[in-house]
Amino acid sequence: MYKDILVHLDGGHRDPLRIEAAAALAKRFGGRLTGLFARAENQGLAVIARRGSEAFETAAATSERQFNEVVAQTGISARWWRLEHGEQSHVLAETAIAARFHDLVIVGQHHDGKDAPEDLIEQLVLQSGRPVLILPSVDKYPSIGSNIMVAWNGGREATRALHDSMPLLEGAETVEIISVRAQQRSPDAKLPPLSIIEHMTQHGAKVTREVLAGEDIGVMDLLLSRAFDQGCDLLVMGGHGGYHLPFFKGAGTRHILKHMTLPVLMSH
């Protein structure tokens, strides 16, 4: 269960929608919501002095007010945190550290004009050790987790994402598992048959399954297209880092982060 949820805020115009979505999840699971204001500073002198500029402080105050208004309406348990300044490495490190003390982290997709480090989401996925729910920079989120698609390849990251999203999967009306690659097993080993559907049904999830061929950037577009056609309100998938072969590992993750049109839950 998600009993302790963190939502990242930066003072942007999408903050109220993100707060509302986070508050709705906190209320659904009977959990506490923490609002964390962490914003990249745009004024050089403030960065050097490691203090908030006037614009930084104004944005923090506005974000806190918006957060408190939503919390008052929903009646959930909540608290407000903020970073003291917006030097980029400080924002990346402290946000990841804060995330480690929560069950779920909610952030907004990066877009032009967003006052947050461009690689914040990727660093949270890779460094926090927690599931990260990314909300798209377009449209609203009337529901999250009623019709879920899971990208499954049997790998460590996909396994982590699937089990990190279990509280949502168990309560979903529909769960579709899309296999993007057949799991590799030894042809000589006499192993019992493995079924992700069988495993999920033990948790009460209502699962169907479809197998897709291939494993490249085209598959990422296919996932997004399928999710749109099926009216999914959440995509669950493993998140990869660049490592030393960014095209083969991190490129698919970055493609989703750039082109996503629905909420995406990633774990590494």
PDB file of all heavy atoms in Angstrom, residues 109 221 224 254-262:
ATOM      1  N   GLN A 109       6.007  15.379 -16.011  1.00  0.00           N
ATOM      2  CA  GLN A 109       6.840  15.256 -17.206  1.00  0.00           C
ATOM      3  C   GLN A 109       7.544  16.573 -17.493  1.00  0.00           C
ATOM      4  O   GLN A 109       6.972  17.654 -17.348  1.00  0.00           O
ATOM      5  CB  GLN A 109       5.967  14.867 -18.394  1.00  0.00           C
ATOM      6  CG  GLN A 109       6.709  14.718 -19.719  1.00  0.00           C
ATOM      7  CD  GLN A 109       5.751  14.522 -20.887  1.00  0.00           C
ATOM      8  OE1 GLN A 109       4.559  14.829 -20.794  1.00  0.00           O
ATOM      9  NE2 GLN A 109       6.262  14.012 -21.994  1.00  0.00           N
ATOM     10  N   ASP A 221       6.812   3.229 -29.136  1.00  0.00           N
ATOM     11  CA  ASP A 221       5.691   3.883 -29.819  1.00  0.00           C
ATOM     12  C   ASP A 221       4.478   2.961 -29.879  1.00  0.00           C
ATOM     13  O   ASP A 221       3.332   3.412 -29.744  1.00  0.00           O
ATOM     14  CB  ASP A 221       6.093   4.281 -31.243  1.00  0.00           C
ATOM     15  CG  ASP A 221       6.953   5.533 -31.263  1.00  0.00           C
ATOM     16  OD1 ASP A 221       6.776   6.392 -30.373  1.00  0.00           O
ATOM     17  OD2 ASP A 221       7.799   5.664 -32.170  1.00  0.00           O
ATOM     18  N   LEU A 224       2.714   3.045 -26.530  1.00  0.00           N
ATOM     19  CA  LEU A 224       1.929   4.266 -26.351  1.00  0.00           C
ATOM     20  C   LEU A 224       0.680   4.247 -27.224  1.00  0.00           C
ATOM     21  O   LEU A 224      -0.399   4.685 -26.791  1.00  0.00           O
ATOM     22  CB  LEU A 224       2.795   5.490 -26.675  1.00  0.00           C
ATOM     23  CG  LEU A 224       3.941   5.780 -25.700  1.00  0.00           C
ATOM     24  CD1 LEU A 224       4.773   6.949 -26.201  1.00  0.00           C
ATOM     25  CD2 LEU A 224       3.415   6.067 -24.296  1.00  0.00           C
ATOM     26  N   ARG A 254      13.898   7.053 -22.210  1.00  0.00           N
ATOM     27  CA  ARG A 254      13.855   8.488 -22.544  1.00  0.00           C
ATOM     28  C   ARG A 254      12.797   8.766 -23.602  1.00  0.00           C
ATOM     29  O   ARG A 254      12.178   9.834 -23.603  1.00  0.00           O
ATOM     30  CB  ARG A 254      15.233   8.947 -23.024  1.00  0.00           C
ATOM     31  CG  ARG A 254      16.297   8.842 -21.938  1.00  0.00           C
ATOM     32  CD  ARG A 254      17.591   9.525 -22.350  1.00  0.00           C
ATOM     33  NE  ARG A 254      18.626   9.269 -21.364  1.00  0.00           N
ATOM     34  CZ  ARG A 254      19.616   8.388 -21.530  1.00  0.00           C
ATOM     35  NH1 ARG A 254      19.697   7.691 -22.655  1.00  0.00           N
ATOM     36  NH2 ARG A 254      20.504   8.203 -20.585  1.00  0.00           N
ATOM     37  N   HIS A 255      12.581   7.820 -24.499  1.00  0.00           N
ATOM     38  CA  HIS A 255      11.556   7.994 -25.524  1.00  0.00           C
ATOM     39  C   HIS A 255      10.171   8.102 -24.876  1.00  0.00           C
ATOM     40  O   HIS A 255       9.368   8.960 -25.240  1.00  0.00           O
ATOM     41  CB  HIS A 255      11.589   6.816 -26.502  1.00  0.00           C
ATOM     42  CG  HIS A 255      10.704   6.991 -27.698  1.00  0.00           C
ATOM     43  ND1 HIS A 255      11.056   7.777 -28.773  1.00  0.00           N
ATOM     44  CD2 HIS A 255       9.473   6.489 -27.978  1.00  0.00           C
ATOM     45  CE1 HIS A 255      10.092   7.751 -29.675  1.00  0.00           C
ATOM     46  NE2 HIS A 255       9.104   6.982 -29.214  1.00  0.00           N
ATOM     47  N   ILE A 256       9.910   7.232 -23.911  1.00  0.00           N
ATOM     48  CA  ILE A 256       8.630   7.284 -23.205  1.00  0.00           C
ATOM     49  C   ILE A 256       8.510   8.588 -22.430  1.00  0.00           C
ATOM     50  O   ILE A 256       7.457   9.256 -22.460  1.00  0.00           O
ATOM     51  CB  ILE A 256       8.481   6.085 -22.253  1.00  0.00           C
ATOM     52  CG1 ILE A 256       8.347   4.786 -23.041  1.00  0.00           C
ATOM     53  CG2 ILE A 256       7.284   6.281 -21.315  1.00  0.00           C
ATOM     54  CD1 ILE A 256       7.044   4.640 -23.797  1.00  0.00           C
ATOM     55  N   LEU A 257       9.555   8.992 -21.741  1.00  0.00           N
ATOM     56  CA  LEU A 257       9.515  10.222 -20.951  1.00  0.00           C
ATOM     57  C   LEU A 257       9.254  11.447 -21.822  1.00  0.00           C
ATOM     58  O   LEU A 257       8.628  12.413 -21.378  1.00  0.00           O
ATOM     59  CB  LEU A 257      10.822  10.405 -20.181  1.00  0.00           C
ATOM     60  CG  LEU A 257      11.092   9.411 -19.053  1.00  0.00           C
ATOM     61  CD1 LEU A 257      12.452   9.661 -18.432  1.00  0.00           C
ATOM     62  CD2 LEU A 257       9.998   9.475 -17.997  1.00  0.00           C
ATOM     63  N   LYS A 258       9.704  11.407 -23.046  1.00  0.00           N
ATOM     64  CA  LYS A 258       9.525  12.541 -23.947  1.00  0.00           C
ATOM     65  C   LYS A 258       8.155  12.538 -24.615  1.00  0.00           C
ATOM     66  O   LYS A 258       7.551  13.602 -24.824  1.00  0.00           O
ATOM     67  CB  LYS A 258      10.626  12.535 -25.015  1.00  0.00           C
ATOM     68  CG  LYS A 258      10.564  13.735 -25.954  1.00  0.00           C
ATOM     69  CD  LYS A 258      11.735  13.722 -26.930  1.00  0.00           C
ATOM     70  CE  LYS A 258      11.686  14.934 -27.852  1.00  0.00           C
ATOM     71  NZ  LYS A 258      12.820  14.940 -28.822  1.00  0.00           N
ATOM     72  N   HIS A 259       7.643  11.358 -24.957  1.00  0.00           N
ATOM     73  CA  HIS A 259       6.439  11.277 -25.789  1.00  0.00           C
ATOM     74  C   HIS A 259       5.203  10.760 -25.051  1.00  0.00           C
ATOM     75  O   HIS A 259       4.154  10.592 -25.677  1.00  0.00           O
ATOM     76  CB  HIS A 259       6.710  10.371 -26.991  1.00  0.00           C
ATOM     77  CG  HIS A 259       7.805  10.872 -27.890  1.00  0.00           C
ATOM     78  ND1 HIS A 259       7.640  11.936 -28.747  1.00  0.00           N
ATOM     79  CD2 HIS A 259       9.108  10.456 -28.039  1.00  0.00           C
ATOM     80  CE1 HIS A 259       8.781  12.156 -29.389  1.00  0.00           C
ATOM     81  NE2 HIS A 259       9.668  11.279 -28.985  1.00  0.00           N
ATOM     82  N   MET A 260       5.291  10.513 -23.783  1.00  0.00           N
ATOM     83  CA  MET A 260       4.171   9.956 -23.014  1.00  0.00           C
ATOM     84  C   MET A 260       2.949  10.862 -23.084  1.00  0.00           C
ATOM     85  O   MET A 260       3.041  12.081 -23.061  1.00  0.00           O
ATOM     86  CB  MET A 260       4.585   9.752 -21.560  1.00  0.00           C
ATOM     87  CG  MET A 260       5.085  11.014 -20.883  1.00  0.00           C
ATOM     88  SD  MET A 260       5.681  10.745 -19.197  1.00  0.00           S
ATOM     89  CE  MET A 260       4.144  10.542 -18.339  1.00  0.00           C
ATOM     90  N   THR A 261       1.777  10.232 -23.163  1.00  0.00           N
ATOM     91  CA  THR A 261       0.507  10.970 -23.173  1.00  0.00           C
ATOM     92  C   THR A 261      -0.426  10.457 -22.089  1.00  0.00           C
ATOM     93  O   THR A 261      -1.598  10.842 -22.053  1.00  0.00           O
ATOM     94  CB  THR A 261      -0.171  10.830 -24.542  1.00  0.00           C
ATOM     95  OG1 THR A 261      -0.342   9.443 -24.857  1.00  0.00           O
ATOM     96  CG2 THR A 261       0.653  11.512 -25.626  1.00  0.00           C
ATOM     97  N   LEU A 262       0.082   9.578 -21.217  1.00  0.00           N
ATOM     98  CA  LEU A 262      -0.699   9.081 -20.083  1.00  0.00           C
ATOM     99  C   LEU A 262       0.251   8.918 -18.908  1.00  0.00           C
ATOM    100  O   LEU A 262       1.475   8.888 -19.093  1.00  0.00           O
ATOM    101  CB  LEU A 262      -1.365   7.746 -20.419  1.00  0.00           C
ATOM    102  CG  LEU A 262      -0.501   6.471 -20.401  1.00  0.00           C
ATOM    103  CD1 LEU A 262      -1.396   5.232 -20.387  1.00  0.00           C
ATOM    104  CD2 LEU A 262       0.458   6.390 -21.577  1.00  0.00           C
TER     105      LEU A 262
END
